[in-house]
């Protein structure tokens, strides 16, 4: 899993989530066309650790402040029952920091470094014919109440086309039957309704990552080389990498940020304020603070 946050000038963490060795780091390097610092993780981590790293990126005239949060050790423990808890705690902590800033008498949200998670790229292993129970439990904990989830089948070049199509259908069926709500590309805006509606039918995206330049014909392309030929990262007949990049970075980045604030953070904020004693059921429908009764 990769958690990300950003705004344009920063996109807040991208959270990548999956077991060790499934290709998260390579995919992030390919996605943002850069080489992120990455400390190699062991398959024998005792606990799940979240490692955020912030980068200043620039494409054309756009500055992007990107935070990538690696979920190191996820799924590597013998007892995986509570693997999702450190991830939930991390996301809640970022919400808590933002709420604390909101509640200050002198607040400065306009220049506040927002670290709330905008997207979770959930990497699914291409082996097997369905989701693991850990995947279902974790995504259910993360879904509509916490973060925007985009499921991704990693290293999809290890599965043939017919098996990959069946795996996609099976994964979506299991998500629906288990009540897991992944992020759906919005179709309300006519400008993007057609492309987003089409892309929703391609989920989960089956991707291949590579930072290697390979000569194919007369041009250099990002690809993975095999004895029988090459798998080109940006060839849409080979994988869904281009679809993921377009949807994540060009078409729906702003909506991901809006969904984080208006949906996930707002739910967290409402629950926290209710715990603190705030109510909004006054006679004029105005918020007020319920003081405890005098004894």
């Amino acid at each position: 899993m990769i958690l990300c946050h950003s705004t344009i000038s920063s996109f807040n963490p991208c959270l990548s989530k999956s077991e060790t060795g499934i290709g998260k780091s390579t995919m992030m390097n390919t996605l943002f066309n850069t080489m992120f610092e990455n400390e190699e993780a062991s398959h024998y981590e005792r606990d799940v650790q979240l490692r955020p790293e912030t980068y200043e990126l620039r494409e054309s005239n756009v500055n992007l402040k990107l935070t990538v949060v690696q979920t190191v050790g996820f799924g590597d423990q013998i007892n995986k029952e509570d693997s999702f808890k450190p991830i939930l705690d991390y996301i809640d902590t970022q919400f808590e920091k933002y709420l604390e800033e909101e509640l200050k008498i002198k607040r400065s949200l306009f220049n506040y470094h927002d670290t709330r998670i905008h997207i979770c790229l959930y990497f699914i292993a291409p082996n097997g014919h369905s989701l693991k129970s850990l995947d279902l439990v974790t995504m259910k904990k993360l879904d509509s109440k916490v973060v925007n989830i985009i499921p991704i089948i990693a290293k999809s070049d290890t599965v043939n086309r017919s098996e990959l199509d069946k795996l996609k259908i099976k994964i979506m069926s299991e998500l629906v039957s288990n009540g897991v709500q992944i992020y759906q590309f919005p179709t309300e805006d006519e400008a993007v309704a057609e492309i987003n509606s089409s892309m929703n039918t391609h989920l989960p995206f089956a991707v291949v990552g590579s930072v290697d330049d390979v000569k194919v014909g007369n041009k250099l392309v990002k690809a993975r080389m095999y004895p029988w030929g090459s798998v080109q990262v940006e060839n849409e007949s080979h994988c869904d990498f281009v679809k993921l990049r377009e949807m994540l970075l060009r078409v729906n980045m702003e909506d991901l940020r809006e969904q984080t604030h208006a949906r996930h953070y707002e739910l967290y904020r409402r629950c926290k304020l209710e715990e603190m004693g705030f109510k909004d059921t006054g006679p004029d429908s105005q918020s007020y603070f319920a003081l405890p009764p005098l004894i």
Side-chain angles (χ1 to χ4, degrees):
M1 175 194 314
I2 289 181
L3 298 173
C4 287
H5 70 85
S6 79
T7 60
I8 312 217
S9 8
S10 92
F11 186 60
N12 277 8
C14 179
L15 196 165
S16 79
K17 142 88 214 60
S18 75
E19 60 203 59
T20 304
I22 205 169
K24 300 186 299 295
S25 299
T26 301
M27 176 51 58
M28 295 306 291
N29 290 340
T30 310
L31 193 58
F32 293 98
N33 194 29
T34 190
M35 292 298 292
F36 294 113
E37 297 177 9
N38 184 55
E39 182 180 341
E40 189 171 345
S42 164
H43 282 273
Y44 305 101
E45 298 286 344
R46 294 183 59 185
D47 302 300
V48 178
Q49 302 174 33
L50 282 85
R51 296 179 183 168
E53 294 286 347
T54 300
Y55 306 90
E56 301 278 353
L57 306 179
R58 181 178 178 85
E59 182 177 347
S60 300
N61 295 321
V62 177
N63 293 321
L64 182 69
K65 190 173 184 179
L66 172 74
T67 301
V68 178
V69 185
Q70 295 275 6
T71 56
V72 179
F74 179 85
D76 293 340
Q77 295 76 36
I78 295 176
N79 183 0
K80 302 176 175 61
E81 184 177 349
D82 297 330
S83 293
F84 61 85
K85 288 186 177 179
I87 300 166
L88 293 177
D89 291 343
Y90 181 89
I91 296 173
D92 277 351
T93 297
Q94 311 320 308
F95 283 156
E96 183 178 1
K97 289 179 180 178
Y98 192 89
L99 180 60
E100 287 176 355
E101 183 64 28
E102 267 194 332
L103 295 177
K104 287 181 180 178
I105 295 175
K106 292 184 179 180
R107 58 185 181 176
S108 54
L109 291 174
F110 67 93
N111 64 357
Y112 173 73
H113 181 208
D114 185 4
T115 59
R116 293 174 298 174
I117 300 297
H118 293 143
I119 179 69
C120 169
L121 300 180
Y122 198 104
F123 288 66
I124 299 166
N127 48 12
H129 302 286
S130 62
L131 290 168
K132 298 177 182 178
S133 58
L134 176 63
D135 294 328
L136 286 170
V137 170
T138 302
M139 279 195 270
K140 182 63 178 175
K141 294 289 184 179
L142 290 173
D143 66 6
S144 62
K145 295 181 180 179
V146 181
V147 69
N148 301 310
I149 301 174
I150 294 182
I152 294 171
I153 300 174
K155 296 184 176 180
S156 64
D157 54 328
T158 61
V159 184
N160 68 44
R161 175 56 62 181
S162 63
E163 290 177 346
L164 190 59
D165 290 340
K166 292 177 182 177
L167 180 58
K168 282 190 171 193
I169 294 171
K170 180 66 173 176
I171 288 171
M172 291 305 296
S173 174
E174 289 185 336
L175 292 176
V176 171
S177 62
N178 284 276
V180 178
Q181 299 182 42
I182 62 173
Y183 175 73
Q184 293 287 308
F185 304 121
T187 57
E188 294 79 11
D189 185 347
E190 291 184 2
V192 296
E194 184 176 353
I195 185 172
N196 278 352
S197 179
S198 173
M199 289 301 103
N200 281 328
T201 66
H202 288 278
L203 292 171
F205 290 135
V207 298
V208 176
S210 176
V211 294
D212 297 329
D213 291 319
V214 176
K215 191 169 184 178
V216 177
N218 295 321
K219 62 180 182 178
L220 288 175
V221 297
K222 299 294 183 186
R224 297 182 69 88
M225 288 298 300
Y226 295 96
W228 45 262
S230 63
V231 176
Q232 300 172 38
V233 170
E234 295 184 312
N235 186 328
E236 294 193 61
S237 66
H238 290 188
C239 73
D240 296 331
F241 173 81
V242 171
K243 295 181 178 67
L244 172 64
R245 183 178 63 192
E246 290 293 311
M247 292 297 96
L248 180 62
L249 302 181
R250 300 202 172 118
V251 180
N252 296 299
M253 181 182 284
E254 190 57 36
D255 184 72
L256 286 163
R257 296 175 63 202
E258 289 177 0
Q259 287 290 325
T260 298
H261 182 76
R263 185 181 181 187
H264 305 301
Y265 170 70
E266 198 57 35
L267 176 60
Y268 171 88
R269 175 181 174 276
R270 184 169 71 246
C271 292
K272 278 295 181 181
L273 291 182
E274 287 176 352
E275 288 177 10
M276 295 166 64
F278 284 90
K279 307 288 184 181
D280 59 359
T281 56
D284 299 321
S285 296
Q286 294 181 349
S287 299
Y288 68 92
F289 184 74
L291 294 173
L294 296 176
I295 298 176

